Amino acid sequence: MVSTSVKFFDSILSRFPQQFSLVFAYGSSVFSQGNKKDQNNMIDFIFCVDNPLEWHKDNMKINHKHYSFLKYGGADFVKNIQVNFGAKMYFNSLVEVENKLIKYGVISTNHLIEDLLDWQTLYISGRLHKPVKLLKKIKDTDVQQALQTNLQSALHASLLCLPETFSEVKLFLKIAELSYSGDFRMYFGEDKQKVENIVMNQVSDFRDLYAEQLKLMPQLHWNQSQCTIEQDGSTATTLHHLNLLPKTVQHNLLVMWNKDGRYRDLEDVLQSVAFDPQCSEMVQKAIQDITWWSSITQSVKGILTAGILKSLKYSSRKIKKMNCQTHANSTLENELERHLEKSIPQAAVRSSSSPSTGMVITTLVIQKKCVLLRPMHLKVVTCDSLLQTKSLIVEVISRRTQIVQFPATLVVDWGASTVLQVGYGRLGSMHLVTSCSR
């Protein structure tokens, strides 16, 4: 997590009316996404309030300049724009507070809970599939329960789209992808590696967020030491996940299945989908249909709430950030390859056998510093104990663990090529440790 003090956030929040049922910060200024921290990065906030009309009235008295020309319609007009269009959120962007640029979205508590439970727009609920920085203690028990249900729903949906055995990272990538898969902004103005950048720099945060839910699922076996997950792939389990999907996803599946003009009720449709080999694709399409429409309508609404000039400025910042990130990814990738070409032939390979587990532990020590930002391919020195296995566990250990930010363990497929894909990180000399059964 990017270091930003509690005092700093408290100072920002003190500039706003305080009737929050939930308030949190998110984005690359709060959580690292693999890019260098830019002091000019905008900080993103979400304010959930019980009474949006009263909140906007109070906020307009304090922060009149935050609003676009819509403020001249009054607080009631702003509230109606918020609750009747797009994702039922109202954003003020490029606002300067405490010498920092911020963006904040306002949503009513009722609409927050509805989206968390039903995924009506998957806008706020999708944001909360990922780690956020809570800034106030949640006192509303309905909000607390809805937040937990949203995490459970994300797991059910993701598990339907994953094989029987997979890594933690694969699960977290699928969860993070849910709210981006149909978002039209991913085709313009967003870094194409956004999902990967979010997950691979926040693996421990994802693990903390979902640990309790993973432990409570009887259909799963979570091997925490190896960071792998096995799930029951039976039709009964598939139907169990389908029955626990949010209502909007289920409704989209119903519409999809009945497009031939014949009507089947939801129970019959979910049973049929559970047996269908295209179940995963249908679930993903049902979710994409939600995010596609909500992302378009909220973005159009954002032009009005931000104003034309701010919208153009915000869009240009997004495009500039995307271009800078793409250039950085390419530069770092080339730099890493140069380092690896020089360092791996000099790397030391040590093998030892564990009497208790029967595992062969092969350690490849990379002597030189390197930079990892995207999944990279590391050429492995030929080693018989590795080539004799079809799969292995890869663990990356750094002498400077406070800097390296990637999962401790990844499962990779081992094919004919002596190449491993091992994750993300920052600067630091590394050990690459591989464990495999003979």
Side-chain angles (χ1 to χ4, degrees):
M1 184 183 294
V2 175
S3 176
T4 310
S5 69
V6 173
K7 184 178 179 181
F8 171 76
F9 283 120
D10 287 344
S11 179
I12 289 182
L13 293 183
S14 68
R15 304 297 186 94
F16 296 93
Q18 295 299 297
Q19 304 93 334
F20 302 125
S21 58
L22 174 69
V23 56
F24 62 87
Y26 65 98
S28 58
S29 290
V30 182
F31 292 88
S32 172
Q33 293 183 11
N35 50 342
K36 293 181 180 179
K37 187 181 178 183
D38 186 346
Q39 295 299 321
N40 295 320
N41 278 355
M42 189 163 56
I43 304 176
D44 300 295
F45 294 88
I46 296 294
F47 301 154
C48 306
V49 299
D50 291 338
N51 189 327
L53 175 59
E54 292 302 316
W55 194 90
H56 283 297
K57 280 182 179 179
D58 293 341
N59 196 43
M60 283 182 173
K61 294 175 184 177
I62 305 170
N63 301 305
H64 188 71
K65 293 182 178 180
H66 292 186
Y67 292 82
S68 70
F69 65 92
L70 296 180
K71 63 190 173 187
Y72 297 112
D76 190 59
F77 180 70
V78 167
K79 185 268 295 184
N80 287 331
I81 293 293
Q82 175 184 315
V83 303
N84 293 319
F85 300 96
K88 301 180 181 179
M89 301 187 69
Y90 191 99
F91 280 94
N92 284 326
S93 301
L94 296 175
V95 172
E96 187 171 340
V97 180
E98 296 288 329
N99 297 317
K100 290 286 293 185
L101 284 178
I102 73 167
K103 177 181 74 174
Y104 62 93
V106 184
I107 186 171
S108 74
T109 305
N110 288 338
H111 289 147
L112 165 72
I113 292 174
E114 286 178 1
D115 200 49
L116 290 173
L117 297 180
D118 299 336
W119 290 8
Q120 291 181 344
T121 67
L122 203 51
Y123 205 91
I124 185 70
S125 53
R127 177 60 261 169
L128 287 162
H129 288 165
K130 298 170 275 291
V132 300
K133 183 175 180 62
L134 296 177
L135 302 178
K136 295 284 185 180
K137 184 177 180 180
I138 304 171
K139 298 180 181 180
D140 190 321
T141 56
D142 289 336
V143 171
Q144 291 175 340
Q145 182 57 51
L147 287 169
Q148 293 304 308
T149 300
N150 184 48
L151 297 180
Q152 293 167 5
S153 297
L155 282 175
H156 290 301
S158 298
L159 291 171
L160 286 167
C161 303
L162 289 166
E164 292 188 14
T165 303
F166 48 91
S167 68
E168 282 182 2
V169 173
K170 287 290 187 183
L171 173 62
F172 300 149
L173 285 169
K174 181 55 65 177
I175 289 172
E177 183 185 279
L178 293 175
S179 59
Y180 288 119
S181 59
D183 192 331
F184 90 98
R185 294 171 299 178
M186 295 303 293
Y187 302 98
F188 176 79
E190 287 286 3
D191 179 13
K192 299 303 183 291
Q193 303 295 326
K194 185 177 182 71
V195 172
E196 294 176 0
N197 289 338
I198 289 173
V199 172
M200 302 308 289
N201 289 279
Q202 301 174 40
V203 171
S204 61
D205 297 306
F206 271 92
R207 189 179 295 118
D208 292 341
L209 184 62
Y210 285 95
E212 182 179 348
Q213 305 299 335
L214 287 170
K215 292 174 184 177
L216 292 175
M217 283 196 163
Q219 304 87 359
L220 295 180
H221 172 65
W222 179 23
N223 188 327
Q224 296 185 55
S225 63
Q226 295 186 350
C227 301
T228 60
I229 300 171
E230 294 180 15
Q231 67 167 325
D232 179 0
S234 67
T235 304
T237 297
T238 300
L239 181 58
H240 170 76
H241 292 315
L242 290 169
N243 281 323
L244 292 174
L245 290 176
K247 290 181 180 178
T248 309
V249 182
Q250 292 181 338
H251 172 75
N252 287 352
L253 288 171
L254 180 68
V255 172
M256 196 184 308
W257 198 265
N258 288 331
K259 65 182 179 182
D260 60 1
R262 294 189 296 165
Y263 178 77
R264 299 89 157 176
D265 63 22
L266 181 61
E267 182 179 356
D268 290 339
V269 167
L270 295 184
Q271 287 181 348
S272 299
V273 172
F275 281 93
D276 197 295
Q278 300 299 314
C279 173
S280 173
E281 288 76 7
M282 285 188 283
V283 170
Q284 292 183 77
K285 178 63 167 60
I287 294 172
Q288 288 170 4
D289 288 345
I290 300 172
T291 56
W292 172 257
W293 180 245
S294 66
S295 65
I296 291 177
T297 55
Q298 184 64 38
S299 295
V300 172
K301 175 180 169 180
I303 297 174
L304 299 176
T305 60
I308 301 297
L309 292 178
K310 277 191 176 181
S311 295
L312 291 173
K313 187 175 180 181
Y314 179 74
S315 298
S316 66
R317 286 171 64 93
K318 278 283 189 180
I319 294 171
K320 182 179 178 181
K321 182 179 177 182
M322 177 187 68
N323 290 337
C324 289
Q325 186 63 56
T326 301
H327 176 71
N329 287 348
S330 177
T331 302
L332 289 172
E333 187 170 330
N334 291 336
E335 181 182 351
L336 174 61
E337 288 177 352
R338 288 197 301 271
H339 280 309
L340 291 178
E341 286 174 1
K342 295 178 181 178
S343 63
I344 284 187
Q346 303 170 12
V349 179
R350 300 190 301 269
S351 294
S352 62
S353 179
S354 171
S356 60
T357 63
M359 302 289 283
V360 174
I361 312 297
T362 302
T363 303
L364 172 64
V365 182
I366 301 175
Q367 307 291 351
K368 296 192 176 183
K369 290 185 178 181
C370 57
V371 180
L372 292 171
L373 186 62
R374 299 170 54 189
M376 302 300 302
H377 289 85
L378 301 183
K379 297 178 182 178
V380 178
V381 177
T382 301
C383 177
D384 290 341
S385 62
L386 289 180
L387 296 177
Q388 289 172 1
T389 184
K390 293 183 179 179
S391 65
L392 48 87
I393 305 297
V394 176
E395 183 177 12
V396 183
I397 304 172
S398 171
R399 299 190 184 99
R400 302 176 66 186
T401 55
Q402 73 276 16
I403 294 180
V404 176
Q405 298 179 19
F406 41 63
T409 307
L410 294 176
V411 175
V412 298
D413 292 327
W414 186 258
S417 174
T418 55
V419 173
L420 299 180
Q421 184 170 318
V422 298
Y424 292 63
R426 294 270 184 141
L427 291 173
S429 300
M430 294 182 296
H431 291 178
L432 174 62
V433 180
T434 62
S435 309
C436 54
S437 299
R438 288 203 119 139

